[in-house]
């Protein structure tokens, strides 16, 4: 009894806010309903996402959609659950397609921060793991993802060429994936500050050797 | 006498007024007016030096006179001796030896030069003891050392045809000893000798281990290594005073070049195999021990001890199974040595192989006893070795159809064995056995043939037929084609042992070749041994296969080492892990940093470790 009585005043002041939030949530749920899968309760499936993309006016392969998935912290590729949808849209403070379209560029601004980008980058890897217990990404998918998330970085295109040419690795591990981001952040385009004794993943040692031989 | 006359004055007046005592005064006067008088001083010095010069040139001089004069100079005070005699003496000596060493070096070879230098040095030491102040010894020897050794050191060592290298090559112990003793006096004399010896050793060793001719004969290869080792050991003990630093250099050089050739472990094992198979017959126990010790010495140099183990196991298995080992004591002694060198783990499988042999013997006794008590005596006798899976380097599952007669007794054994050891599984390894067959040939000749199990299967077919095609044989025996072809070759294509005839008479064996029982086979011997299962140098694919197996075996070992280290250290940086792992594993092999890195990455992948979020070089252990 005592607990509820002490809480009361605080509840009273936020009452208006609560009501607004409840309304927002309702609209978010309605929006969810527009895209939700007919067969599967409480999820937006691949078809729903395609429809959403059309409504937003972006390609499904656009990085913005990946950013949206990241913002939603979507666990499964090609699917948004109601919970993820609510959490993500609430955080972005959007409840209509129009608002969502306008909010997308702000996501791009958000990942301009290097720490945020790291979380996005790691998400991109994990998002692609579709099978249960899958831990590694095949080189082909990895190359596509690299292109998508790091496309404008100086090393990337030559690294992708290297990945496609080499025969030793057929899959990439999370360690190699995140290692590569640090590599992009720290290493000069001419590799002048690359030190093999710095415990880089072996894949990167090989890459640098390959790239230097090419130069 | 003068002092006696003036004794009173000396005692009272001089001490009271602090004047110079009479005796000393006299000496001073003598010094200033006689010894240092302009006329005498230079003449005295010249005379002394010319005497010494004459003595150096071999003339006899009046040593007594010299001694007296020098004694006088010393009595006049150390400064007189040093200033008026010692200094110019040393200068003249320096000039003399400079000239002389120049002269020698131009006309003598290294050995002679050293002999002369040693003689000169001894002469000077002797001179000091005869008539110079003993303190001069260090100074004059320093002069000789500098002029005769230091300034020509490099030239001497590198002299063509007589320098250090040729002394080493031709075992010139005396010259080497002389060089060691002389060069020890100057710095960096010994370091120079050591460096040149190292370079020579490495060079020679490299040539030895990479010479393609040598590689053809593994036994000769190892024998050469042993000879070299023995040779240099002798040089170091006889000529270099057992100098520790030289021994170290010797060891590191051997380690360097033995590992240049990746086949060294295999060859050393082959060498041991040969010794234990035949060469050790009739050799005394001490000789066996000393030989094994020598082999162990080479073994110690190997970086890839696990590869040696692999080959040793293979060779030992063949020795044991074909009962070809000369002496069980020698076998055990070597295993004991390996155990002390590398620990229990290294030899546990080898030991269990011996144990298997012993148990098999007991089992066979029991089995034969059982057979003789029941009354089947018409069947062939069987000798089985029960091997523990995993301890022996066996290839699994190549089975063949055994002849009916053999199959029956094999089954009997199986029942017998399983009745005493329940819950075990027996598989026949027909590719490793041998058989003795009695065969009757055309002209009433009877021979006993010692053949492999596969060959036995083939020959038994000819009890029912006189000729068979390759296809038929393959179908009947179910022996893997590669093995079958090899065995048929040794049955039909080796001169003097061709129990079978082949049509056409080529070496190659084709699908539709026909094999005919050779009625006309004859041999001087009653017993004919058809195939040799002696260990041979591996061919290229086999070598690759062994390599690969070893690499696979190493992975878990490296990972275990990493986990052990990280478990106790929790957080450690990359370079330290690499060096710790290398240290832990070096008694077995030398893992390359790249391989270690790969294992670390695999452990990160499997979430045993993680990278530190800020310092990339740090790893954390995930419990």
């Amino acid at each position: 009894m005592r607990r509820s009585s002490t809480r009361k005043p605080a509840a009273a002041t936020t009452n208006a806010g609560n009501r607004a939030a409840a309304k927002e949530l309702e609209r978010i749920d309605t929006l969810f309903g527009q895209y939700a899968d007919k067969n599967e309760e409480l999820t937006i499936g691949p078809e729903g996402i395609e429809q959403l993309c059309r409504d937003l006016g972006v390609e499904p392969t656009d990085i913005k959609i990946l950013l949206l998935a990241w913002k939603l912290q979507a666990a499964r590729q090609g699917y948004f659950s109601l919970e993820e949808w609510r959490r993500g849209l609430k955080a972005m403070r959007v409840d209509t397609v129009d608002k969502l379209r306008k909010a997308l560029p702000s996501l791009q601004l958000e990942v301009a921060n290097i720490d945020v980008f790291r979380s996005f980058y790691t998400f991109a890897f994990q998002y692609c793991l579709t099978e249960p217990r899958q831990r590694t990404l095949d080189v082909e998918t990895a190359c596509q993802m690299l292109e998508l998330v790091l496309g404008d970085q100086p090393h990337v295109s030559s690294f992708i060429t290297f990945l496609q040419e080499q025969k030793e690795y057929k899959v990439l591990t999370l360690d190699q994936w995140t290692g590569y981001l640090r590599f992009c952040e720290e290493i000069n385009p001419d590799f002048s500050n690359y030190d093999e004794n710095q415990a880089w993943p072996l894949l990167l040692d090989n890459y640098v050797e390959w790239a230097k031989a090419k130069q | 006498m003068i002092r006696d006359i003036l004794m009173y004055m000396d005692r009272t007046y001089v001490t009271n007024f602090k004047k110079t005592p009479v005796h000393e005064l006299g000496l001073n006067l003598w010094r200033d007016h006689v010894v240092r008088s302009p006329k005498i001083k230079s003449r005295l010095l010249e005379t002394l030096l010319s005497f010494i010069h004459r003595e150096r040139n071999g003339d006899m001089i009046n040593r007594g006179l010299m001694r007296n004069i020098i004694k006088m100079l010393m009595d006049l005070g150390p400064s007189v001796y040093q200033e008026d005699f010692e200094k110019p003496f040393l200068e003249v000596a320096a000039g003399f030896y400079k000239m002389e060493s120049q002269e020698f070096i131009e006309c003598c070879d290294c050995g002679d030069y050293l002999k002369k230098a040693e003689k000169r040095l001894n002469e000077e030491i002797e001179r000091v003891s005869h008539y110079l102040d003993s303190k001069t010894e260090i100074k004059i020897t320093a002069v000789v050392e500098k002029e005769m050794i230091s300034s020509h050191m490099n030239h001497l060592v590198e002299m063509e045809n007589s320098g250090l290298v040729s002394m080493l090559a031709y075992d010139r112990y005396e010259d080497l000893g002389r060089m060691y003793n002389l060069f020890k006096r100057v710095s960096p004399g010994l370091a120079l000798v050591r460096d040149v010896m190292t370079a020579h050793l490495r060079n020679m060793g490299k040539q030895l281990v990479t010479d393609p001719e040598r590689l053809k004969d593994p036994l000769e290869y190892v024998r050469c290594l042993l000879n070299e080792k023995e040779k240099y050991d002798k040089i170091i003990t006889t000529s270099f005073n057992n100098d520790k630093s030289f021994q170290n250099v010797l060891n590191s050089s051997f380690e360097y070049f033995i590992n240049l050739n990746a086949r060294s472990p295999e060859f050393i094992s082959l060498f041991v195999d040969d010794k234990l198979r035949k060469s050790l017959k009739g050799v005394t126990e001490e000789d066996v021990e000393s030989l094994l010790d020598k082999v162990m010495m080479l073994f110690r140099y190997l970086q890839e001890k696990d590869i040696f183990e692999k080959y040793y196991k293979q060779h030992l298995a063949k020795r044991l199974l074909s009962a070809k080992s000369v002496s069980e004591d020698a076998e055990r002694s070597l295993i004991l040595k390996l155990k002390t060198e590398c620990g229990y783990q290294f030899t546990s499988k080898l030991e269990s192989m011996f144990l298997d042999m012993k148990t098999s013997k007991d089992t066979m006794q029991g089995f034969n006893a059982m057979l003789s008590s029941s009354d089947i005596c018409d069947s062939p006798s069987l000798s089985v070795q029960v091997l523990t899976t995993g301890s022996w380097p066996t290839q699994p599952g190549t089975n063949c159809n055994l002849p009916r007669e053999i199959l029956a007794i094999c089954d009997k054994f199986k029942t017998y064995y399983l009745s005493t050891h329940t819950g075990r599984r027996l598989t026949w390894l027909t590719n490793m056995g041998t058989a003795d067959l009695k065969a009757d040939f055309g002209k009433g000749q009877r021979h006993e043939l010692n053949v492999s199990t596969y060959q036995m299967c083939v020959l038994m077919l000819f009890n029912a037929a006189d000729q068979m095609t390759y296809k038929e044989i393959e179908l009947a025996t179910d022996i893997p084609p590669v093995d079958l072809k090899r065995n048929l070759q040794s049955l039909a294509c080796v001169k003097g042992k061709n129990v079978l005839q082949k049509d056409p008479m080529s070496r190659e064996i084709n699908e539709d070749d026909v094999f005919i029982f050779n009625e006309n086979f004859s041999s001087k011997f009653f017993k004919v041994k058809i195939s040799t299962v002696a260990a041979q140098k591996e061919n290229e694919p086999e070598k690759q296969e062994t390599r690969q197996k070893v690499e696979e075996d190493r992975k878990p070992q490296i990972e275990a080492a990493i986990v052990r280290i990280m478990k106790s250290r929790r957080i450690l940086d990359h370079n330290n892990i690499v060096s710790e792992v290398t240290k832990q594993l070096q008694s077995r092999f030398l893992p390359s940093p790249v391989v270690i890195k790969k294992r670390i990455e695999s452990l990160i992948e499997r979430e045993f470790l993680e990278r530190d979020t800020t310092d990339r070089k740090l790893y954390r252990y995930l419990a």
Side-chain angles (χ1 to χ4, degrees), chain A residues 79-95:
Chain A
Y79 296 88
F80 295 151
S81 74
L82 178 59
E83 202 185 315
E84 291 162 356
W85 182 261
R86 278 179 180 168
R87 182 175 50 209
L89 265 65
K90 227 165 142 183
M92 288 158 74
R93 309 210 57 84
V94 295
D95 47 20

mmCIF file of all heavy atoms in Angstrom, chain A residues 79-95:
data_model
loop_
_atom_site.group_PDB
_atom_site.id
_atom_site.type_symbol
_atom_site.label_atom_id
_atom_site.label_comp_id
_atom_site.label_asym_id
_atom_site.label_seq_id
_atom_site.Cartn_x
_atom_site.Cartn_y
_atom_site.Cartn_z
ATOM 1 N N TYR A 79 13.055 -10.507 -41.600
ATOM 2 C CA TYR A 79 11.860 -10.510 -40.744
ATOM 3 C C TYR A 79 11.991 -9.434 -39.674
ATOM 4 O O TYR A 79 13.069 -9.236 -39.116
ATOM 5 C CB TYR A 79 11.683 -11.862 -40.062
ATOM 6 C CG TYR A 79 11.426 -12.992 -41.024
ATOM 7 C CD1 TYR A 79 12.471 -13.701 -41.595
ATOM 8 C CD2 TYR A 79 10.115 -13.329 -41.374
ATOM 9 C CE1 TYR A 79 12.245 -14.717 -42.501
ATOM 10 C CE2 TYR A 79 9.873 -14.359 -42.279
ATOM 11 C CZ TYR A 79 10.932 -15.046 -42.836
ATOM 12 O OH TYR A 79 10.708 -16.043 -43.729
ATOM 13 N N PHE A 80 10.847 -8.725 -39.396
ATOM 14 C CA PHE A 80 10.781 -7.822 -38.233
ATOM 15 C C PHE A 80 9.698 -8.345 -37.320
ATOM 16 O O PHE A 80 8.559 -8.556 -37.770
ATOM 17 C CB PHE A 80 10.404 -6.397 -38.659
ATOM 18 C CG PHE A 80 11.439 -5.729 -39.541
ATOM 19 C CD1 PHE A 80 11.047 -4.766 -40.474
ATOM 20 C CD2 PHE A 80 12.790 -6.033 -39.431
ATOM 21 C CE1 PHE A 80 11.986 -4.142 -41.280
ATOM 22 C CE2 PHE A 80 13.731 -5.414 -40.238
ATOM 23 C CZ PHE A 80 13.332 -4.470 -41.173
ATOM 24 N N SER A 81 9.993 -8.530 -36.067
ATOM 25 C CA SER A 81 8.940 -8.953 -35.139
ATOM 26 C C SER A 81 8.279 -7.699 -34.582
ATOM 27 O O SER A 81 8.833 -6.586 -34.675
ATOM 28 C CB SER A 81 9.534 -9.794 -34.006
ATOM 29 O OG SER A 81 10.222 -8.956 -33.116
ATOM 30 N N LEU A 82 7.107 -7.886 -34.010
ATOM 31 C CA LEU A 82 6.371 -6.741 -33.460
ATOM 32 C C LEU A 82 7.198 -6.032 -32.388
ATOM 33 O O LEU A 82 7.287 -4.810 -32.358
ATOM 34 C CB LEU A 82 5.037 -7.213 -32.872
ATOM 35 C CG LEU A 82 4.195 -6.101 -32.214
ATOM 36 C CD1 LEU A 82 3.863 -5.000 -33.213
ATOM 37 C CD2 LEU A 82 2.905 -6.677 -31.632
ATOM 38 N N GLU A 83 7.817 -6.842 -31.574
ATOM 39 C CA GLU A 83 8.620 -6.269 -30.486
ATOM 40 C C GLU A 83 9.749 -5.382 -31.031
ATOM 41 O O GLU A 83 9.970 -4.263 -30.590
ATOM 42 C CB GLU A 83 9.207 -7.412 -29.664
ATOM 43 C CG GLU A 83 9.609 -7.014 -28.267
ATOM 44 C CD GLU A 83 10.285 -8.181 -27.565
ATOM 45 O OE1 GLU A 83 9.746 -9.321 -27.674
ATOM 46 O OE2 GLU A 83 11.338 -7.971 -26.970
ATOM 47 N N GLU A 84 10.451 -5.925 -32.043
ATOM 48 C CA GLU A 84 11.547 -5.161 -32.649
ATOM 49 C C GLU A 84 10.998 -3.881 -33.289
ATOM 50 O O GLU A 84 11.597 -2.803 -33.179
ATOM 51 C CB GLU A 84 12.245 -6.013 -33.722
ATOM 52 C CG GLU A 84 13.019 -7.190 -33.175
ATOM 53 C CD GLU A 84 13.316 -8.244 -34.238
ATOM 54 O OE1 GLU A 84 12.840 -8.089 -35.391
ATOM 55 O OE2 GLU A 84 14.021 -9.210 -33.908
ATOM 56 N N TRP A 85 9.878 -4.019 -33.956
ATOM 57 C CA TRP A 85 9.244 -2.896 -34.652
ATOM 58 C C TRP A 85 8.895 -1.786 -33.659
ATOM 59 O O TRP A 85 9.232 -0.619 -33.866
ATOM 60 C CB TRP A 85 7.983 -3.426 -35.352
ATOM 61 C CG TRP A 85 7.227 -2.415 -36.145
ATOM 62 C CD1 TRP A 85 6.103 -1.740 -35.753
ATOM 63 C CD2 TRP A 85 7.511 -1.962 -37.469
ATOM 64 N NE1 TRP A 85 5.669 -0.913 -36.742
ATOM 65 C CE2 TRP A 85 6.535 -1.021 -37.814
ATOM 66 C CE3 TRP A 85 8.520 -2.275 -38.400
ATOM 67 C CZ2 TRP A 85 6.505 -0.373 -39.049
ATOM 68 C CZ3 TRP A 85 8.479 -1.633 -39.622
ATOM 69 C CH2 TRP A 85 7.490 -0.691 -39.947
ATOM 70 N N ARG A 86 8.263 -2.200 -32.562
ATOM 71 C CA ARG A 86 7.882 -1.205 -31.548
ATOM 72 C C ARG A 86 9.112 -0.498 -30.992
ATOM 73 O O ARG A 86 9.166 0.725 -30.927
ATOM 74 C CB ARG A 86 7.160 -1.898 -30.386
ATOM 75 C CG ARG A 86 5.690 -2.165 -30.633
ATOM 76 C CD ARG A 86 5.151 -2.868 -29.419
ATOM 77 N NE ARG A 86 3.741 -3.172 -29.563
ATOM 78 C CZ ARG A 86 3.092 -3.996 -28.741
ATOM 79 N NH1 ARG A 86 3.737 -4.580 -27.749
ATOM 80 N NH2 ARG A 86 1.802 -4.220 -28.914
ATOM 81 N N ARG A 87 10.094 -1.310 -30.609
ATOM 82 C CA ARG A 87 11.280 -0.742 -29.975
ATOM 83 C C ARG A 87 11.960 0.249 -30.902
ATOM 84 O O ARG A 87 12.294 1.359 -30.534
ATOM 85 C CB ARG A 87 12.252 -1.867 -29.604
ATOM 86 C CG ARG A 87 13.520 -1.390 -28.892
ATOM 87 C CD ARG A 87 14.357 -2.578 -28.466
ATOM 88 N NE ARG A 87 14.556 -3.494 -29.583
ATOM 89 C CZ ARG A 87 14.734 -4.810 -29.441
ATOM 90 N NH1 ARG A 87 14.745 -5.348 -28.252
ATOM 91 N NH2 ARG A 87 14.911 -5.575 -30.488
ATOM 92 N N GLY A 88 12.137 -0.190 -32.170
ATOM 93 C CA GLY A 88 12.887 0.632 -33.123
ATOM 94 C C GLY A 88 12.148 1.905 -33.464
ATOM 95 O O GLY A 88 12.723 3.008 -33.404
ATOM 96 N N LEU A 89 10.870 1.808 -33.800
ATOM 97 C CA LEU A 89 10.139 2.993 -34.212
ATOM 98 C C LEU A 89 9.970 3.977 -33.074
ATOM 99 O O LEU A 89 9.997 5.189 -33.273
ATOM 100 C CB LEU A 89 8.789 2.595 -34.815
ATOM 101 C CG LEU A 89 8.843 2.478 -36.345
ATOM 102 C CD1 LEU A 89 9.756 1.351 -36.761
ATOM 103 C CD2 LEU A 89 7.449 2.291 -36.947
ATOM 104 N N LYS A 90 9.808 3.418 -31.871
ATOM 105 C CA LYS A 90 9.685 4.286 -30.706
ATOM 106 C C LYS A 90 10.980 5.093 -30.520
ATOM 107 O O LYS A 90 10.948 6.303 -30.304
ATOM 108 C CB LYS A 90 9.450 3.432 -29.466
ATOM 109 C CG LYS A 90 8.307 3.947 -28.597
ATOM 110 C CD LYS A 90 7.923 2.877 -27.623
ATOM 111 C CE LYS A 90 7.571 3.459 -26.275
ATOM 112 N NZ LYS A 90 7.257 2.378 -25.320
ATOM 113 N N ALA A 91 12.098 4.381 -30.643
ATOM 114 C CA ALA A 91 13.372 5.057 -30.459
ATOM 115 C C ALA A 91 13.563 6.133 -31.528
ATOM 116 O O ALA A 91 14.178 7.176 -31.290
ATOM 117 C CB ALA A 91 14.514 4.045 -30.517
ATOM 118 N N MET A 92 13.043 5.888 -32.724
ATOM 119 C CA MET A 92 13.192 6.873 -33.791
ATOM 120 C C MET A 92 12.093 7.935 -33.738
ATOM 121 O O MET A 92 12.128 8.903 -34.504
ATOM 122 C CB MET A 92 13.141 6.176 -35.161
ATOM 123 C CG MET A 92 14.380 5.347 -35.474
ATOM 124 S SD MET A 92 14.025 4.093 -36.711
ATOM 125 C CE MET A 92 13.932 5.095 -38.160
ATOM 126 N N ARG A 93 11.134 7.707 -32.847
ATOM 127 C CA ARG A 93 9.995 8.605 -32.699
ATOM 128 C C ARG A 93 9.249 8.790 -34.014
ATOM 129 O O ARG A 93 8.990 9.902 -34.469
ATOM 130 C CB ARG A 93 10.416 9.963 -32.137
ATOM 131 C CG ARG A 93 11.262 9.899 -30.866
ATOM 132 C CD ARG A 93 11.053 11.088 -29.985
ATOM 133 N NE ARG A 93 9.653 11.264 -29.601
ATOM 134 C CZ ARG A 93 9.079 10.626 -28.581
ATOM 135 N NH1 ARG A 93 9.776 9.760 -27.868
ATOM 136 N NH2 ARG A 93 7.828 10.854 -28.282
ATOM 137 N N VAL A 94 8.961 7.698 -34.716
ATOM 138 C CA VAL A 94 8.157 7.766 -35.941
ATOM 139 C C VAL A 94 6.985 6.802 -35.827
ATOM 140 O O VAL A 94 7.085 5.770 -35.161
ATOM 141 C CB VAL A 94 8.985 7.404 -37.199
ATOM 142 C CG1 VAL A 94 10.065 8.426 -37.422
ATOM 143 C CG2 VAL A 94 9.541 6.004 -37.110
ATOM 144 N N ASP A 95 5.857 7.150 -36.467
ATOM 145 C CA ASP A 95 4.722 6.235 -36.439
ATOM 146 C C ASP A 95 3.985 6.183 -37.779
ATOM 147 O O ASP A 95 2.934 5.564 -37.901
ATOM 148 C CB ASP A 95 3.755 6.597 -35.301
ATOM 149 C CG ASP A 95 3.443 8.081 -35.273
ATOM 150 O OD1 ASP A 95 3.655 8.740 -36.322
ATOM 151 O OD2 ASP A 95 3.015 8.579 -34.221
#
